[in-house]
């Protein structure tokens, strides 16, 4: 990925210095892919720094965690970086690390940028989505490079300044969490088509090919089509031979944990992470398959109508996933004192990245029309879209339950929607239970407030006559 970003920058007229601790890799790169381009090599950290113009713009693409800190220390101790120089971490770092590095380097006069980069190796070569944040003093010096090498959507660069400290890596984290959700939703649609309708790989590929011409037009739908069309040497779909145990590198988990920390109901990403965890229990699931029984799918009806419903269920669930993601970022901005520009974030995700889709143009438009939009579901376009999708969405979730096909992402998206649109949830009973067993108190509904139960007060009741009248302290963890 680092080599491809270097080649990308050289293609856009920049002279780039390349360094790797394994010097042989640099030599091989210069003699092959970089030959004839405006790329020079360095055999040491000191030489690397010395060849750069001031203020030096240095981008690290190394494994997240300690390797980033180690490389920064090398630049400080052996490289001879000076006040005003700029260090960019383009890896998948956790945003608290970027918060810390921004402050640490600012004390030394070094401007640090933590930048999310999405799009894989191909994106890095021909235009990724780039999400920079950190010390904003660096932005005027790196804007030309990063926006030049980024993907473009309708002529606009998929790279804008995100915010302070770890904001860039935070937005990349949420991007990856949404990516988890999108992939899980697609997998559930595939499972329903395969087990519920009995479609072949070619038939399912045809469905995804058709979906890619409509509202679901996206990179992930496109590659799913290609995967389902791909046959092994024996003429059968390779995907059916792949072990059903999913891996993960942590960014989805980080998103789910942060959602819990901020008290935000980002349920779909959470279920997508748990679905991967469940898939990893392959041997245990194999034993359970011989012991636990459930219903068998038995489809009757109009197949095309069902597939249309499945398309709507996937579309509606994606709307929920993105609505939850932007709710989380909105909460984070308030909690961490960041200014996150939602229209620019949607724009950055429109091209180059893994979740790029036509769908994001509508999100960009929604937030540009109303930057203070409280929730994506309040926008007219998405409000109409999700109401149109409801009948098909509910049909798919109910069919999954009746057929014994798990749909954790579809189901949690619908449950969130139903919960979000409900004025009175059963949390009143929950609060009564908490007060009953732990004297945790409750608030009264405004319409029932009186002298005994004031609207603003936290109240405790001795429910049994034996519990006492002293309440516990009130707080939200």
């Amino acid at each position: 990925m680092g080599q491809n970003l270097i080649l990308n920058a050289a293609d856009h007229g920049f002279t780039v210095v390349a360094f790797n601790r394994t010097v042989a890799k640099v030599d091989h790169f210069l003699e092959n892919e970089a030959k004839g381009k405006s790329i020079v090599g360095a055999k040491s950290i000191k030489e690397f720094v010395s060849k750069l113009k001031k203020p030096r713009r240095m981008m690290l693409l190394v494994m997240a965690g300690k390797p980033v800190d180690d490389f920064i220390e090398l630049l400080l101790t052996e490289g001879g970086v000076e006040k005003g120089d700029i260090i960019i971490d383009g890896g998948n770092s956790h945003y608290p690390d970027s918060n810390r590095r921004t402050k640490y380097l600012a004390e030394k006069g070094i401007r640090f940028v933590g930048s999310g980069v999405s799009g894989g190796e191909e994106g890095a070569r021909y235009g990724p989505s780039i999400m920079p944040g950190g010390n904003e003093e660096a932005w005027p010096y790196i804007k030309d490079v990063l926006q030049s090498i980024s993907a473009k959507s309708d002529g606009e660069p998929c790279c804008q300044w995100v915010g302070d400290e770890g904001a860039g890596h935070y937005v990349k984290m949420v991007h990856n969490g949404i990516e988890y959700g999108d992939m899980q939703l697609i997998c559930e649609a595939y499972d329903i088509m395969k087990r519920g309708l009995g479609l072949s790989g070619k038939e399912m590929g045809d469905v995804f090919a058709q979906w890619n011409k409509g509202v679901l037009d996206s990179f992930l739908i496109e590659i799913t089509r290609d995967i389902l069309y791909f046959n092994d040497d024996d003429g059968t779909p390779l995907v059916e031979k792949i072990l059903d145990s999913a891996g993960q590198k942590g960014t989805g988990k980080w998103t789910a944990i942060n959602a819990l920390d901020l008290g935000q109901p980002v349920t779909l990403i959470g279920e997508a992470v748990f679905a991967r965890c469940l898939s990893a229990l392959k041997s245990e699931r194999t034993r359970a398959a011989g012991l636990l029984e459930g219903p068998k799918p038995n489809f009757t009806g109009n197949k095309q109508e069902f597939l249309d419903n499945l398309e709507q269920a996937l579309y509606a669930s994606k709307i929920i996933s993105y609505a939850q993601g932007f709710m989380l970022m909105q909460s984070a901005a308030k909690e961490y004192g960041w200014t996150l520009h939602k229209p620019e974030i949607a724009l950055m995700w429109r091209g180059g990245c893994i979740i790029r889709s036509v769908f994001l143009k509508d999100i960009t438009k929604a937030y540009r029309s109303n930057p203070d939009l409280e929730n994506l579901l309040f926008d007219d376009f998405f409000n109409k879209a999700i109401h149109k999708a409801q009948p098909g969405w509910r049909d798919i979730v109910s069919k999954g339950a009746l057929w014994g096909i798990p749909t954790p992402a579809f189901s949690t998206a619908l449950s969130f929607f139903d919960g979000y649109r409900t004025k009175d949830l059963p949390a009143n009973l929950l609060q009564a239970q908490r007060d009953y067993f732990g004297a945790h108190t409750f608030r009264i509904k405004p319409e029932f407030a009186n002298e005994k139960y004031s609207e603003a007060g936290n109240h405790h009741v001795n429910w049994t006559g034996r519990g006492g009248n002293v309440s516990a302290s009130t707080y939200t963890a």
Side-chain angles (χ1 to χ4, degrees), residues 17 19 41-52 78-79:
V17 182
F19 173 72
K43 297 184 183 299
S44 68
I45 282 282
K46 189 171 184 179
E47 184 184 1
F48 168 73
V49 173
S50 69
K51 287 186 174 182
L52 295 169
E78 297 181 18

Side-chain angles (χ1 to χ4, degrees), residues 43 86-87 112 120 129 146 156 182 196 204 220 242 271-273 302 374 383 391 401 437 464 468 477:
K43 297 184 183 299
I86 298 161
I87 297 175
F112 177 80
S129 170
L146 297 187
E156 296 184 85
D182 276 358
M204 288 186 285
L220 286 171
I242 296 174
E271 287 293 348
V273 173
N302 186 310
E374 187 176 5
N383 187 283
F437 67 68
T464 63

Side-chain angles (χ1 to χ4, degrees), residues 318-329:
K318 273 176 64 75
I319 291 173
I320 294 297
S321 182
Y322 284 73
Q324 290 182 353
F326 276 91
M327 285 170 63
L328 180 60
M329 289 188 286

Side-chain angles (χ1 to χ4, degrees), residues 267-297:
T267 57
L268 200 146
I269 293 172
E271 287 293 348
V273 173
F274 287 132
R276 293 196 188 194
C277 296
L278 181 60
S279 79
L281 304 178
K282 176 62 176 178
S283 59
E284 193 172 335
R285 287 188 293 110
T286 299
R287 292 193 297 276
L291 296 171
L292 306 176
E293 296 183 358
K296 302 294 182 185

Side-chain angles (χ1 to χ4, degrees), residues 228-431:
L228 291 167
Y229 281 158
F230 190 92
N231 290 334
D232 199 2
D233 294 339
D234 61 2
T236 61
L238 177 60
V239 68
E240 301 304 337
K241 299 179 180 181
I242 296 174
L243 183 68
D244 55 315
S245 179
Q248 51 184 314
K249 290 192 173 180
T251 45
K253 181 179 73 173
W254 291 345
T255 310
I257 290 171
N258 182 250
L260 289 169
D261 286 340
L262 295 180
Q264 289 299 307
V266 185
T267 57
L268 200 146
I269 293 172
E271 287 293 348
V273 173
F274 287 132
R276 293 196 188 194
C277 296
L278 181 60
S279 79
L281 304 178
K282 176 62 176 178
S283 59
E284 193 172 335
R285 287 188 293 110
T286 299
R287 292 193 297 276
L291 296 171
L292 306 176
E293 296 183 358
K296 302 294 182 185
N298 180 27
F299 177 76
T300 57
N302 186 310
K303 189 176 290 186
Q304 186 55 54
E305 182 180 314
F306 183 85
L307 288 171
D308 290 341
N309 286 347
L310 187 57
E311 180 182 22
Q312 289 299 309
L314 185 51
Y315 183 44
S317 298
K318 273 176 64 75
I319 291 173
I320 294 297
S321 182
Y322 284 73
Q324 290 182 353
F326 276 91
M327 285 170 63
L328 180 60
M329 289 188 286
Q330 191 167 280
S331 177
K334 184 177 180 180
E335 177 72 17
Y336 307 134
W338 297 336
T339 300
L340 299 182
H341 302 288
K342 288 177 280 189
E344 282 75 11
I345 292 170
L347 169 63
M348 283 187 280
W349 292 349
R350 271 165 52 179
C353 66
I354 303 302
I355 64 172
R356 62 185 181 268
S357 65
V358 170
F359 174 79
L360 279 155
K361 291 184 179 180
D362 299 316
I363 296 179
T364 305
K365 183 179 179 182
Y367 283 119
R368 279 184 171 169
S369 298
N370 181 7
D372 298 320
L373 184 66
E374 187 176 5
N375 191 291
L376 204 56
L377 299 176
F378 295 169
D379 175 74
D380 285 345
F381 177 86
F382 289 105
N383 187 283
K384 290 174 183 175
I386 209 153
H387 280 93
K388 179 184 175 183
Q390 258 195 87
W393 192 12
R394 295 185 185 281
D395 179 57
I396 295 302
V397 171
S398 62
K399 285 292 196 306
L402 291 170
W403 290 347
I405 298 176
T407 57
F410 281 141
S411 299
T412 198
L414 182 57
S415 291
F416 171 85
F417 175 75
D418 284 335
Y420 192 67
R421 68 179 185 82
T422 299
K423 181 177 179 288
D424 292 312
L425 289 170
N428 56 319
L429 175 58
L430 191 149
Q431 281 300 101

Side-chain angles (χ1 to χ4, degrees), residues 434 438-441 458 470-476:
R434 293 180 73 239
H440 293 299
T441 75
N458 294 306
V470 179
S471 64
S473 59
T474 301
Y475 61 92
T476 300

